[in-house]
Amino acid sequence: QAPNGEHDADPEQLVQEAEAALLALEAALANAEGSDGADLAALAEAAQGLQAVVDSSGATAEELSAHATEAAAAEADQQQPAGEVAADEEDDAPKEPPNFGVKWSSLEKLFKDAKLTNDNDVLILGPRNAPELPEEIHDAGLVTRVVSVDLNRRYVDKRAKVNKKKRPDMRFFECALTHIPSDTDWKEYFDFVVDLCELDETHKWGSPGEDVPTSCTRKLAQIVIPGGYLLVLTRMPVKDTEKLIMDTCRIQMPFYKITSWTQFPSALEGIGALLLRRQKA
C-alpha cells in the first residue's frame, strides 16, 4: 500500500476489482433472502471484499463508479462502427419535413387563369412541405412577389438566407396560421393563397373544446382579397374541407368553388385540393 492510503494499482484494475466484488455482493444478497446462517456469512464476506477494494484505492465508491461509467462509455464509442449514429442521437436530430411533391407545373395554369402578374402578391402557407415551390413560382417570372409562412424555423432561416440577395422580393416568416402578422414588411392581403395542408394541422392544435380549425379558416379567408383565390391542399376528404370553409365564411367573407381534385397533380398520393374564389364586395 502506498503512502496516505493510496493504492499503486492502475485505476482500470481497481474498477475491475470493485466490479467483481460488487457482483459477489449482489449474488450473496440474492441467496441470503430467506436463507440460513451460512448464506448470511457469505453475504458479510462479500460486503467486506467490496469495502476492502474501496479502502485500498483511496477513492470513494462514487469516484470508482464515475470512473467505471467513463470507461464503459469510451469502450462503447470504440465499438461503434464509423459513421454509425446512436439511436438517441437519431431521435434528437432535426427531422426533415415530408416533401409533398407539389411543383410549379401544377400551379401554372391556375395562376394564368387567375390572370396573375407581377403586380399581384402570392402567399404560400407551409412551404416546408414543398421546399422548392416558392423559388419555382418566383423564377417562372409570372409572379415574383412571393411570401412564405411556416412554423419550421430551420426551413425559414435557411430559405431566407439563401434568397436574401438572389431573390430580394421574396419574404419568409416564421409563424402559425393563427398569428399571421400584418406589418410593414409584407402585405396583409393576397391575390392568391396556397395552403400546403396547413389547415389540416389546425385540427391537432388547441385545448379540448377549442375550435381552432374554424378560427384559422376565418383568418385564412381574411387575408384573401375580394376577388382573390384560395387553393387548399388537404389530406382530409376534400368535401369536409370545402364544408369547413364555406360554413365559416358564408356571411362575412363568402367564397365560391371553382374546382376540386381528389388527387392533386404532382402531389403525393392521398393529397387532394380545392380551388375557391372570394366573392367581390
Side-chain angles (χ1 to χ4, degrees):
Q1 184 167 325
N4 301 323
E6 294 183 357
H7 199 287
D8 58 1
D10 183 77
E12 300 285 350
Q13 180 182 346
L14 291 174
V15 169
Q16 292 174 5
E17 292 175 1
E19 288 177 342
L22 182 58
L23 287 174
L25 177 58
E26 289 175 346
L29 279 170
N31 293 329
E33 187 173 353
S35 299
D36 55 20
D39 288 325
L40 291 175
L43 170 61
E45 183 180 350
Q48 290 173 357
L50 177 59
Q51 187 62 50
V53 174
V54 174
D55 290 343
S56 67
S57 70
T60 65
E62 289 79 5
E63 289 171 336
L64 280 175
S65 175
H67 184 81
T69 301
E70 292 174 2
E75 183 179 356
D77 289 341
Q78 291 176 354
Q79 292 178 351
Q80 182 172 310
E84 184 175 317
V85 179
D88 56 347
E89 292 179 6
E90 288 182 347
D91 292 339
D92 294 339
K95 299 288 190 302
E96 287 295 333
N99 190 333
F100 290 169
V102 181
K103 301 291 185 182
W104 161 244
S105 57
S106 303
L107 302 177
E108 183 176 7
K109 185 177 186 304
L110 304 182
F111 277 37
K112 287 182 176 178
D113 288 348
K115 296 181 171 54
L116 297 183
T117 69
N118 276 327
D119 293 327
N120 300 119
D121 296 87
V122 172
L123 174 64
I124 310 294
L125 296 173
R128 68 186 183 283
N129 296 322
E132 306 299 328
L133 183 60
E135 286 90 341
E136 289 181 1
I137 293 174
H138 177 280
D139 293 350
L142 189 64
V143 182
T144 57
R145 283 162 26 186
V146 181
V147 173
S148 298
V149 172
D150 203 291
L151 276 172
N152 189 311
R153 175 177 297 180
R154 186 164 174 248
Y155 171 84
V156 170
D157 290 347
K158 179 180 178 180
R159 304 318 298 176
K161 184 177 180 180
V162 168
N163 290 293
K164 185 175 182 179
K165 293 183 178 180
K166 189 174 182 181
R167 303 176 180 93
D169 44 358
M170 294 184 68
R171 296 288 184 271
F172 293 83
F173 294 90
E174 177 198 354
C175 69
L177 181 55
T178 48
H179 296 91
I180 292 179
S182 54
D183 53 34
T184 56
D185 289 336
W186 69 326
K187 283 176 61 68
E188 185 175 2
Y189 304 105
F190 295 86
D191 302 282
F192 205 111
V193 175
V194 180
D195 171 26
L196 297 172
C197 298
E198 286 297 276
L199 194 55
D200 289 356
E201 296 297 315
T202 64
H203 291 270
K204 307 174 186 177
W205 299 348
S207 56
E210 186 180 2
D211 192 356
V212 179
T214 296
S215 61
C216 287
T217 299
R218 187 174 293 111
K219 180 66 175 179
L220 185 58
Q222 288 172 347
I223 60 178
V224 180
I225 66 168
Y229 296 81
L230 173 61
L231 176 65
V232 180
L233 276 72
T234 179
R235 288 164 292 189
M236 301 178 66
V238 175
K239 288 185 178 180
D240 291 351
T241 301
E242 179 180 351
K243 185 177 187 304
L244 171 64
I245 297 174
M246 293 301 193
D247 288 351
T248 302
C249 307
R250 174 172 288 118
I251 299 177
Q252 294 182 326
M253 301 160 290
F255 283 79
Y256 62 89
K257 175 181 174 181
I258 296 179
T259 188
S260 63
W261 301 259
T262 54
Q263 175 62 54
F264 191 69
S266 83
L268 290 182
E269 184 176 354
I271 297 180
L274 176 69
L275 180 62
L276 304 171
R277 188 174 189 183
R278 184 174 171 182
Q279 293 186 13
K280 295 182 178 180

